[in-house]
Structures are given as structure tokens and as C-alpha cells.
């Protein structure tokens, strides 16, 4: 793809202008309402994530350097620089794999915008409406850029960490009220800070990709505000980010963003506590369970045919720890058939070491379907279950269903937040549902302090 210099300058400038000048009053009410539930959903993920050992390590590591008392770090009584808080809270909000995502952009826009908005929202004392509109704009930047570079980008690059840096910078620039010129520089700076490898999946470093994006997005915006410049061609220039990290042949998603074309509500909410690339085969399995209720101990063999990325990331049977198992389709299908769910409970040590689960998982074969690969980013999967008596069950899905509603999300939050005082959780839920009418986000920040 050849991009002329003038077009590359225009695209980055127009995106910066939109980040700054997107009019809150023109954002559709459905997007405002949807974003409230994304805040609720992320908050539940953070409550769960706060208890993970890697989050303790991150908290200890990044807070030991101290600094300006600006923003709250989950699990700490003290306040730290906004970038530090965003880094640590970014890790905390992502580790459980329960956070929202986007199928076509391939990644988790909430994980790289919420921690930024919380950190800067607290330090800058922004209103609820400002908070929500910054998130909507940040989501939009993530989704536009993710759809531009994928699916080729995802062969090596972890989109949440890479495109997430731009989304974090956009969220920060909006809350900090940067000028269009400063925001254009912030995007240019973000381009050279963006990083994160798919090779990190299954290790603590996967969530570090997310925290790093949050932190670097704030750094990009702060540097730009202080006069530091970034290249106006860093996004889509001949030697820019899109060209360097993908085989993209079109820039249509990045061109001429408008309030009417905002994309934040096209992200999906997580139903399963596993990698998003396990979702379509799991949808097929649960449909099959409803229809035929096969006995797990009578299954002889299961064959899963799905798209190449899912196969490359999830085909192996891995159950050495929670991080590995969430990226193992044989394990996830085995617990789905054994326990009738794929929740966080199924990734605890007693289940990871369950001989019956592992025996069933060893009977599961995951192979590529060329048809499914050709249809990606639609998430096609075909599952064939063969019973010991020869009976065969077949179930196919042409895309992930992502069926969820707002009452379900409220229950998901309250279930996730069981470790926090029930009344406090009910109160913050009520606050978030009306936060577009509130003058600050203080009750949300106060709730962060209750998470232990």
C-alpha cells in the first residue's frame, strides 16, 4: 500500500482534531449508556484481578519509585503519579481475561482506556460526562486502528498493547484538553512507544503489554502538552506504524471520523473467562450440550475445526497454570463439558490438576479450517463429538454470538465484586448508571480504595 505524504499528514491531523473536538452533546445516548456498563464491567474485572500474584508484583515494583500523589492504585492506600496508577491498574483490570474486547480490531479497548481515564479523571477532577466521552473517543481510536492493521498485525503484535497505546493517548489527550496540534504530536509519540508481542501470551507479560500501553499513552500526552513533538507521519506514513506492523491495504477506518460513526458499542462483552479465540468453539460446545447433553465420560474423541489464529494460539493442551489454560482450547472445552461453564472457578489449581478433565482434554484435536481462516475476523468453528458407542454430534457456528444484556452485566459485576462490601458495590453501581449527570467521579475513585 502506497500512502502519499499529504494523505498521511491529513489522516493523523484529522484524527487528532476529532479526538479534541468530538462534541459530547452529539454522542448518541445509546453509546453513553453502553459505556456506563463498560465501566461497570471493567470494575468487576479489576476486583477479581486485584488478587492475582502478578498484580502484587506489579504494585510493589511500580509504586516503590514514589512520585507525585495524583491517582489511586488499586490495593494501595497511597496515591501515585497518574502514569504509575494507569500501569498497575491496567495490569489488574486485564489479568482475569473477563474484560470486553473487539472481534475485528482483535483486542481489549476497555483495558487500555479505563485505567487512563480513572487515573487522569481523579487527578484532574473531571466530570462524569467528560470521563465517559473520553472513553468513547479512546475506544473509537482503538477500534479504527485495530481494524486497519488486522488481521496481519496480530500474527506477531499484541493489538491491545500496540493499538492500545494510541487509544490510551487519545483518552489522555481528551481529558487533558490538549490542542489538536498537541494531540497530533501525542499520536506521533505513541507510535514510537507502542509495543507488545503475542509471544507473551500465557505469561505475566501479556498483562504487562496492557499496563504499558496505559502508561505510555499518558506519557505521550504529557510530553506533547509540554512541547515534545512527535512525527505527523508516524501513524500512516511510508515509514509509519501501520506500514511497519501490518500488510494493511486500506486506511478507510482511519479516515474522516465523525460523531455519527463512533464505534465504541461494537466491542463485545466477555461471557467466558478464557481467551477470546476460544469463544466460537465454546459457543458450539454449549449449543451441543443444550441439544444433546453428551456425557463427558463417554466421549471418545472431539475434533474442532476453526480459523488459523485460534489454532496457533489455543490448539495445545496446556494446564500448568491459569494463564496457560485460558489459552488452551482442549482444556476449556473439557471443563465446559465437565462443569457446564467456563468461569474463573474452572482455572483454579484443583481443576487444573483434575485427572478426569485432563483425560478428556487429551481427546480433543484442534485443526485449521481453510474456510474459517478465509472468513476471519468472523469467528467460525465446527465441533464434532464422537461418543464411545459411535454416536456423532456436530455443531457449527459461523461467528461468535456474544449474547449479553445490561442486567446480566450488573449480575456479572456483583458476582465478581463479592470480596467487596455489598452495599458499597450497589452504591457504585448506582453512581455509574447516573455518572453522566455527576460533576466528578469521586465515588468511583473511592470504590477503588475498597478493593483488596
Amino acid at each position: 500500500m502506497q500512502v502519499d505524504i499529504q494523505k498521511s499528514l491529513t489522516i493523523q491531523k484529522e484524527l487528532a482534531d476529532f479526538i479534541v473536538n468530538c462534541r459530547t452533546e452529539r454522542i448518541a445516548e445509546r453509546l453513553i449508556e453502553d459505556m456506563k456498563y463498560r465501566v461497570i464491567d471493567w470494575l468487576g474485572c479489576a476486583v477479581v484481578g486485584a488478587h492475582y500474584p502478578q498484580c502484587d508484583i506489579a504494585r510493589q515494583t511500580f509504586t516503590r519509585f514514589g512520585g507525585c500523589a495524583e491517582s489511586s492504585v488499586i490495593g494501595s492506600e497511597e496515591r501515585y503519579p497518574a502514569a504509575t496508577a494507569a500501569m498497575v491498574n491496567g495490569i489488574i483490570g486485564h489479568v482475569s481475561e473477563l474484560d470486553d474486547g473487539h472481534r475485528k480490531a482483535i483486542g481489549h479497548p476497555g483495558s487500555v482506556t479505563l485505567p487512563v481515564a480513572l487515573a487522569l479523571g481523579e487527578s484532574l477532577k473531571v466530570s462524569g460526562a467528560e470521563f465517559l466521552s473520553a472513553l468513547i473517543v479512546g475506544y473509537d481510536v482503538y477500534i479504527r486502528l485495530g481494524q486497519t492493521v488486522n488481521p496481519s498485525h496480530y500474527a506477531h503484535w499484541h493489538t491491545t498493547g500496540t493499538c492500545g497505546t494510541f487509544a490510551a493517548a487519545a483518552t489522555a489527550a481528551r481529558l487533558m484538553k490538549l490542542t489538536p496540534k498537541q494531540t497530533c504530536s501525542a499520536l506521533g509519540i505513541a507510535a514510537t512507544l507502542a509495543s507488545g508481542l503475542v509471544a507473551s501470551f500465557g505469561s505475566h507479560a501479556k498483562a504487562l503489554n496492557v499496563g504499558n500501553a496505559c502508561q505510555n499513552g499518558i506519557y505521550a500526552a504529557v510530553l506533547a502538552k509540554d512541547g515534545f513533538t512527535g512525527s505527523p507521519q508516524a501513524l500512516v506514513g511510508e515509514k509509519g506504524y501501520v506500514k511497519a506492523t501490518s500488510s494493511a491495504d486500506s486506511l478507510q477506518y482511519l479516515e474522516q471520523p465523525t460523531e455519527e460513526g463512533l464505534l465504541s458499542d461494537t466491542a463485545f462483552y466477555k461471557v467466558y473467562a478464557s481467551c477470546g479465540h476460544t469463544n466460537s468453539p465454546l459457543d458450539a460446545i454449549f449449543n451441543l450440550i443444550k441439544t444433546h447433553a453428551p456425557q463427558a465420560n463417554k466421549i471418545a474423541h472431539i475434533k474442532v475445526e476453526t480459523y488459523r489464529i485460534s489454532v496457533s494460539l489455543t490448539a495445545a493442551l496446556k494446564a500448568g497454570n491459569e494463564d496457560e489454560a485460558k489459552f488452551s482450547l482442549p482444556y476449556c472445552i473439557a471443563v465446559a463439558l465437565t462443569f457446564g461453564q467456563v468461569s474463573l472457578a474452572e482455572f483454579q489449581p484443583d481443576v487444573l490438576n483434575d485427572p478426569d478433565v485432563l483425560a478428556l482434554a487429551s481427546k480433543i484435536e484442534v485443526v485449521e479450517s481453510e474456510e474459517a481462516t478465509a472468513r476471519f475476523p468472523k469467528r467460525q468453528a465446527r465441533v464434532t463429538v464422537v461418543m464411545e458407542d459411535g454416536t456423532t454430534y456436530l455443531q457449527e457456528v459461523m461467528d461468535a454470538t456474544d449474547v449479553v444484556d445490561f442486567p446480566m452485566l450488573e449480575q456479572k459485576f456483583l458476582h465478581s465484586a463479592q470480596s467487596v462490601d455489598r452495599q458499597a458495590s450497589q452504591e457504585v453501581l448506582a453512581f455509574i448508571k447516573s455518572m453522566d449527570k455527576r460533576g466528578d467521579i469521586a465515588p468511583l475513585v473511592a470504590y477503588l480504595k475498597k478493593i483488596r
Side-chain angles (χ1 to χ4, degrees):
M1 176 185 64
Q2 288 291 119
V3 181
D4 65 64
I5 293 176
Q6 189 55 49
K7 185 172 185 179
S8 70
L9 291 168
T10 299
I11 288 176
Q12 189 167 323
K13 180 181 180 297
E14 286 183 347
L15 189 60
D17 287 344
F18 182 69
I19 290 166
V20 173
N21 296 316
C22 175
R23 287 165 288 181
T24 302
E25 68 274 12
R26 292 192 61 180
I27 296 176
E29 183 59 35
R30 64 179 172 76
L31 299 181
I32 299 292
E33 192 70 8
D34 175 73
M35 188 52 66
K36 293 175 186 177
Y37 279 90
R38 296 190 185 277
V39 176
I40 292 166
D41 197 57
W42 181 90
L43 197 58
C45 296
V47 175
V48 173
H51 304 290
Y52 281 62
Q54 59 264 50
C55 296
D56 291 333
I57 296 170
R59 190 183 297 109
Q60 293 165 13
T61 299
F62 292 106
T63 62
R64 74 174 58 158
F65 303 109
C68 300
E70 295 176 326
S71 308
S72 299
V73 169
I74 293 170
S76 174
E77 291 295 330
E78 306 299 323
R79 298 168 77 217
Y80 295 90
T84 299
M87 164 64 93
V88 178
N89 293 343
I91 293 171
I92 290 172
H94 180 64
V95 291
S96 70
E97 295 285 350
L98 287 169
D99 45 338
D100 70 353
H102 197 276
R103 299 294 181 195
K104 293 181 179 179
I106 313 181
H108 305 273
S111 288
V112 288
T113 53
L114 258 300
V116 173
L118 283 167
L120 291 175
E122 178 181 1
S123 65
L124 299 174
K125 297 180 172 56
V126 305
S127 71
E130 290 173 322
F131 181 83
L132 292 170
S133 67
L135 287 172
I136 289 169
V137 169
Y139 266 68
D140 196 66
V141 169
Y142 181 89
I143 294 166
R144 289 178 184 279
L145 186 53
Q147 289 185 118
T148 298
V149 298
N150 279 313
S152 61
H153 182 81
Y154 197 66
H156 300 98
W157 298 103
H158 182 197
T159 319
T160 312
T162 54
C163 295
T165 306
F166 293 89
T171 304
R174 174 105 179 162
L175 289 172
M176 293 169 60
K177 296 181 168 56
L178 267 58
T179 67
K181 183 177 180 180
Q182 290 170 330
T183 302
C184 188
S185 273
L187 292 174
I189 296 166
T192 208
L193 292 174
S195 64
L197 294 174
V198 170
S200 296
F201 289 10
S203 75
H204 292 173
K206 179 176 188 280
L208 182 63
N209 291 344
V210 176
N212 194 48
C214 296
Q215 176 178 256
N216 283 339
I218 291 179
Y219 283 156
V222 172
L223 283 166
K225 185 172 185 179
D226 289 346
F228 208 90
T229 63
S231 169
Q233 297 180 58
L235 184 59
V236 297
E238 188 60 29
K239 295 188 181 298
Y241 170 83
V242 171
K243 188 83 169 181
T245 66
S246 76
S247 59
D249 58 6
S250 172
L251 299 174
Q252 63 174 328
Y253 291 114
L254 293 172
E255 296 181 285
Q256 300 179 328
T258 65
E259 291 92 346
E260 292 74 24
L262 286 163
L263 299 167
S264 59
D265 69 339
T266 63
F268 71 93
Y269 290 96
K270 267 290 187 77
V271 178
Y272 311 119
S274 56
C275 168
H277 296 294
T278 68
N279 288 182
S280 292
L282 287 173
D283 285 344
I285 283 291
F286 281 108
N287 288 340
L288 194 147
I289 290 171
K290 289 177 185 176
T291 307
H292 303 290
Q295 290 181 261
N297 62 350
K298 301 294 186 182
I299 292 173
H301 181 72
I302 297 175
K303 183 177 182 180
V304 179
E305 300 166 83
T306 190
Y307 54 94
R308 183 180 302 151
I309 289 176
S310 178
V311 175
S312 66
L313 289 177
T314 72
L317 170 53
K318 296 174 290 186
N321 55 54
E322 178 177 344
D323 295 311
E324 286 186 353
K326 286 180 174 179
F327 283 81
S328 175
L329 197 43
Y331 179 85
C332 293
I333 289 176
V335 296
L337 287 162
T338 303
F339 300 103
Q341 60 184 24
V342 184
S343 69
L344 289 172
E346 282 68 59
F347 296 93
Q348 299 311 302
D350 58 331
V351 183
L352 291 172
N353 297 308
D354 187 317
D356 293 333
V357 168
L358 296 177
L360 177 56
S362 69
K363 300 176 182 178
I364 299 171
E365 174 190 15
V366 182
V367 300
E368 182 184 356
S369 158
E370 291 184 1
E371 178 187 346
T373 296
R375 295 186 70 246
F376 186 79
K378 291 187 181 298
R379 313 258 173 143
Q380 181 176 331
R382 178 186 179 98
V383 176
T384 305
V385 177
V386 181
M387 306 302 291
E388 290 178 348
D389 64 2
T391 303
T392 299
Y393 304 118
L394 175 65
Q395 185 72 48
E396 187 169 31
V397 297
M398 302 308 288
D399 202 359
T401 55
D402 302 324
V403 177
V404 72
D405 55 30
F406 290 162
M408 184 189 300
L409 291 172
E410 292 187 26
Q411 290 306 309
K412 178 184 173 184
F413 165 70
L414 292 172
H415 179 77
S416 297
Q418 291 179 83
S419 62
V420 184
D421 175 74
R422 179 80 174 188
Q423 182 175 344
S425 296
Q426 293 278 14
E427 288 173 354
V428 79
L429 184 61
F431 167 77
I432 294 170
K433 289 165 69 173
S434 65
M435 71 183 302
D436 54 323
K437 305 296 191 295
R438 304 299 186 96
D440 59 46
I441 63 166
L444 181 53
V445 173
Y447 187 80
L448 297 183
K449 296 292 189 183
K450 299 179 188 297
I451 300 174
R452 289 289 182 271

